[in-house]
Each structure stands twice: as structure tokens, then as C-alpha cells.
Amino acid sequence: TTINNPFPDGRQFTPAEFETSRYKRRIAERINTLDPSVRGIFASAVIDYLENNAQDGRDINVTEGYRSPERSAQLAASGIRAAGAGRSWHNYGAAMDVAIYVNGRYDDGTRGVAEYTGRWRTSLQKFGLINDLSGDTGHAYIASLGAAVPRALREGQTTVAALTGGASSGLA
């Protein structure tokens, strides 16, 4: 499936950069939907996770990067834990969701969230990202921005690049 990408500019990551993951194509595709000013930070966290955990039978897949406001509204209306339209960092290309696999099996968190709050969080924190939402540890966003999308961004008065200083501390 092709993804509507509102952020086609900036560095485009390739599957080769996530070579150790069986989900390398999907990872690259989803990361490339993120705002170019923060894309490298998220890619760096995924690469770090793979480099430090693949040898232990761990893998990761980016299940969502950019999410349209319409999709956010649909998810919220369906009862899935998701912020409403315009209130999710996904709507601005500044959040991603992941799924972690241990020895080829999806870890859905029902046996505990240690894979998400331990190994994955360690990689996130190196790049200023966080996954601190209770019950949604597969969701990552930029820690310095906080969990809530500011009104100025929702109303189009600022951009993700302006909020983050436009500088990426990850792969540029």
C-alpha cells in the first residue's frame, strides 16, 4: 500500500539503512512520512535499537508515522486509544508507533511492557524521544515537546521545525 506523504522533502531513508530488520521496507516507508526536521531523530532511534538488540532476537517495525487527521478521528471514534483529529503528534509528522518482535513473535505487551519500557526506551532516550504514555508504550514522540500538541501548531501559527529549533540530533 502506498501512503499519503505530506512531507516528501528532506532526506529519504532507504530499506538498506535498516538492513537487520525483516521490516526494513516498511520502516523506511513510514519514517519517510515524518516531518523532515525530525525524521533523522526517529530513524536514529530505530537504527540504535536494531544495532543493540537484533543479536538477541529482537526486531522492530514502524507501524505508523504520519497519520491524517481523518484517520485519527476514525481511530478515536472506534475506541482505539488515539488522540482526536489535530491533537495527535502523528498529524504533524512528529510521532511514530512501533511493534517489537522477540524471536519472530510480536510482543503485544500483554505479558508486560518491558520490551517497550526497557530496550526500546533506552534507544529513544538517546535521541530525545519518549514513550511514556501509559497503555501505549509503542507510541514515541519528541520529549521536549510534551505529550499535547500546542494550540499554535494546531492553528497553523508555527511548525514542528520551529518548535524543535529545526535541528536534528539524529541522522540528517
Side-chain angles (χ1 to χ4, degrees):
T1 39
T2 57
I3 298 172
N4 175 30
N5 185 355
F7 305 107
D9 297 330
R11 176 171 179 195
Q12 298 294 302
F13 286 86
T14 65
E17 294 173 89
F18 309 100
E19 190 61 40
T20 58
S21 176
R22 69 184 289 199
Y23 307 101
K24 59 189 170 215
R25 284 186 187 5
R26 187 168 184 165
I27 292 171
E29 180 182 65
R30 296 289 192 270
I31 284 178
N32 288 335
T33 68
L34 297 174
D35 184 288
S37 68
V38 298
R39 189 178 294 155
I41 297 169
F42 286 95
S44 293
V46 171
I47 290 167
D48 183 83
Y49 178 85
L50 290 168
E51 287 176 350
N52 290 296
N53 296 288
Q55 71 278 7
D56 294 330
R58 268 66 179 181
D59 200 353
I60 194 167
N61 185 14
V62 176
T63 58
E64 195 148 38
Y66 169 77
R67 176 187 303 152
S68 72
E70 296 78 20
R71 177 160 162 70
S72 285
Q74 291 170 346
L75 288 173
S78 75
I80 292 174
R81 182 176 176 163
R87 297 192 175 272
S88 169
W89 283 113
H90 287 284
N91 301 152
Y92 306 94
M96 76 177 176
D97 294 334
V98 301
I100 292 177
Y101 297 81
V102 180
N103 297 320
R105 290 188 53 202
Y106 169 56
D107 184 334
D108 63 5
T110 57
R111 293 179 308 281
V113 294
E115 290 295 326
Y116 294 89
T117 60
R119 293 171 183 258
W120 176 227
R121 187 171 288 169
T122 297
S123 292
L124 291 172
Q125 290 175 339
K126 291 178 185 178
F127 301 97
L129 302 171
I130 190 67
N131 65 336
D132 63 350
L133 300 181
S134 176
D136 192 8
T137 52
H139 174 78
Y141 62 95
I142 300 161
S144 64
L145 297 181
V149 175
R151 174 180 281 160
L153 184 60
R154 291 192 319 263
E155 294 178 354
Q157 298 166 353
T158 190
T159 64
V160 169
L163 291 171
T164 61
S168 172
S169 62
L171 299 168

